[in-house]
Amino acid sequence: MSDENKSCCNTPAGEPTATRSAAPMWIIVVTLALLFTGGLYLDNHGGWFNSKVYAPYKSVDQLEAFQPKSGAAAVAAQGKKVYEAVCGICHGVDGAGKPGQAPPLAGSEWVITKGDSRLAHIPLQGLSGAITVEGKQWNLNMAAMGAALSDSDLAAVLTYMRTSWGNKAGEVSVDDVKKARDAIGGHAQPMSGDQMSKMPE
Amino acid sequence: MKTGFSVFLACFVALGASWYGFVYGPLKQLGVEQQTVILQSTDNWPQQRTGEATLGLQVYRQYGCAACHTEQVRQTGAANELDVLTLGTHNAEDFKGFMKSLLVVPELMTSSNDIVANLDKWNGQLPLVLYYGQNADAVSALAEKLKPVGVKTDARVVAVGPDIARGWGTRQSVAADYLYDQPVQLGSLRAGPDLTTIGVREPDVNWQLLHLYAPNCVVPNSTMPPFHNLFEVRKKVNGQVSPDALPLPKGFALGDDMEVVPTTEARQLVAYLLTLKNNAPLYEAPFTPVTAAK
Amino acid sequence: MNQTGNNTVCSSEIDASCRVPLLALFGGAALWLVLGILLGLAAAMSFHKPDLFANCACLSFGHAQAAANDLVLYGFIIPAALGVILWIFARLSQAPLALPIVPVAAANIWHLGVLVGTVSILLGHSTGHTWLEYPRIAAVLLFAAFMLVAVSAVATMGFRSNREMYPSHWFLFAGLLWFVWTYSSANLFLLSGQPPRGVVQAIIAWWFSNNMIFVWLALVGVGIAFYLLPKFANKPLANTGYAIFGFLTLIFFGTWCGIPHGAPVPAWLPTTSAFAAMLTILPIIALAIVAGKTVCGSGFSLCAGPFCFVKFGTMSFVVSALLYVAEFCPHGARVLDFTWFSVGVTQWQLFGFAGMILTGAIYEILPRMMDKALPLPLLAKLNFVTFVLGTTIYVIPLLIGGYEQGLKLQDPSVAFADASGAALMFLRASTLGQALLLLGSLCLLLNVFVMTLQWKRGLLSCALSAVKAPLSGGEVKP
């Protein structure tokens, strides 16, 4: 090709050059400030990278608070709350009991009964004297800790005991608790282990 | 002053980081998801689609439906709600007074203004929405207090948001909903309504087929194009209308001896659309389903 | 400096070495642009007369819009950008294009891939993923072609005598790497035999779409602008400190945008994107400062030449990028998600930013390369006017209509038909903008084709006289 330019187009003055300069300080500072603010935002709304937390929920705790509480889940939640407030102090949060204070509930044959009616009598009347629990002898006094609880609270906590720590037994319904209360009548007397074993489950 | 290698390194690190965060990360976190369980039930979610509906998803993809329709519902919040269903031995007026007397307990103090406002504007009809807000403890405290006096209540969790209020779903869409979608057709434009729960909103097969053939006959002034490719216009056999011919209304009918019959593709597409229900509560998107009236 | 000494190569030689590859790339690109805008018009018809394509599903909105968008991106923007990158690298290296046959072959492979992809979409074989609708065959062809061009470009860059890199080098080199990694990764995951399950597909598609439409376009567009603006303004590029900062923050932060706010994915994904989007405002401002300082004083005369194309394009970059970033802000996203607003922003990025800069670059390169003036300079001026007007009339109504639609969708008492009806008038108005864009793209196509024809005719007559000369015993007269 001919090198004689049809110089309709301007010959370039040369390739562009760049002036050297440093990045200005203000933009670095603004970047750091935005990084900080953004980090706070990520902390608040990111759900800690949990795969179950979707916006608008901000954390697993918030998600838990909005789980519907009805049915079995609600009863379990209620029972757990009552247990930890009332019974767990002596019987232990894990139901293992404390020597010299209270026998275990986990694996206890008095808790895991086929029937639903006897268990309610224990918290409603109290226990006094000797009783064998899981092969061990216990000789303590238990006050009627459940007498002040409402029917639904008592039913929930008994159901909780029967379904926790490896225990597998049926629920105790509000009706069962009512029947037990009616049977006891006005003056509740603490039972002994012998008396208990004679009651139908 | 930069060398080619330093530019390459910077790009490699930058893009590598976002690849790790947005490709590899989700692959490990969400790509291994299995079916999950519906809240308070033993059923799995999502259900696998039938063969016809799976083919229908391919028809959806082929026709580019995702260009105008989305399949994702958003939620801006959640609320705890307590409904009063029966009043026990009270009538409306003394129930109000009774309720206000209960509000002095500590766990109800923070919500008492809301509850009083709801009571004041209550017209006496049941069910009464006694509390609607963010405080789950207030709901359980109220339910506990009202149970002994024979007042029947229903504690519910409801999803909140414009999409929900519009009736496009009862909860937001989550990753579990798309587990068996290949390809996922989330959509990015709402030139047409959202389709996440179209199987619940328009469960009639004929409505769906008519909408595909002549959108204007079921949605007036619709800008959706008709898809005549999905249908076959043919002469009636012996003058008899075939059982699967479309029941075209007046003004859209084609003449006395012609009928419109959907092709297999149309049936597959409608089968797919009718599987779009998304009405099961999950752990990550909880809500209390509305049970049938007792 | 050109022609400073006997051992430096003069610019006309460099330009001539780019001739065949760039004509192959630009010719195809100009054709695909016209076809893309035509298909876009067909798609827009859906909102004027919905039953226009009732019996021809291949031109219905779903098919036509996807094919149109892909034609503009893969058919016009990427090949045109590759051509400009090759020329800029050759010029900056003060050396002729390395391995010139490679980009010629690559251009043909690329255009074949675009053809296969477009036909597949229209026939209903789209993959269903936005911006990745081309089936496997087309994707492989495109990737192979890009790699070939990238090899030639990197080789050219490697041959530079002045070892210090000019800012455009960083941006354009980064652009080459960006496409290679994101395109291969996205296609390998999404179009493989065993794609990831469920919503992960959407996340990967969003990652790709952000890195392509936002980051890649920004890298390439700004890289080209940083070369052309100082050249046109006859000043050095101002404030490279801001340029380095802008480059680094763009690649480190910009790549993390992309996940929409209301997406059905765990909260950490859209939150990270919103965080990144907020930070991405910084590179946009920094790069705007560099561009602004470089051209300041040159004014905005109605010269309608390549300089004006690039200036308008750079200004479009700043505004469209800021709007893009605003889409990820949670408050904005609630209203603007799923509306025509995001369509408007994307089209602004494609036409207003990338389209303008690339068209300006083509008009600058063609005369230098072919050693001839533009054959239809009036059409080139018309091109500028129609592109500016067309982009404005196309994009602004979409943005406004989208915002109106979004506001109405937020109010559950407004029926859906009313909400989408609110945008309909704006949609119809924007079609005029598309028609103007079509007119402008025809001007570009005519210029490129006529120039190519003239060159080929010149070659032919040269060859003929070379054949005739020994027969007539005279000198070769070209």
Side-chain angles (χ1 to χ4, degrees), chain C residues 2-28:
Chain C
N2 58 338
Q3 294 172 340
T4 45
N6 283 337
N7 42 4
T8 52
V9 185
C10 71
S11 348
S12 51
E13 223 180 282
I14 298 173
D15 294 337
S17 69
C18 299
R19 202 172 283 163
V20 179
L22 263 58
L23 274 181
L25 285 168
F26 291 161

Side-chain angles (χ1 to χ4, degrees), chain B residues 35-38 41-50 53-54 176-181 275 277-280:
Chain B
Q35 274 180 324
T36 184
V37 175
I38 299 179
S41 156
T42 46
D43 291 333
N44 281 336
W45 181 265
Q47 303 292 317
Q48 275 275 23
R49 294 200 173 88
T50 63
T54 312
D177 300 331
Y178 304 99
L179 203 59
Y180 295 127
D181 284 4
T275 62
K277 290 194 182 153
N278 233 41
N279 46 4

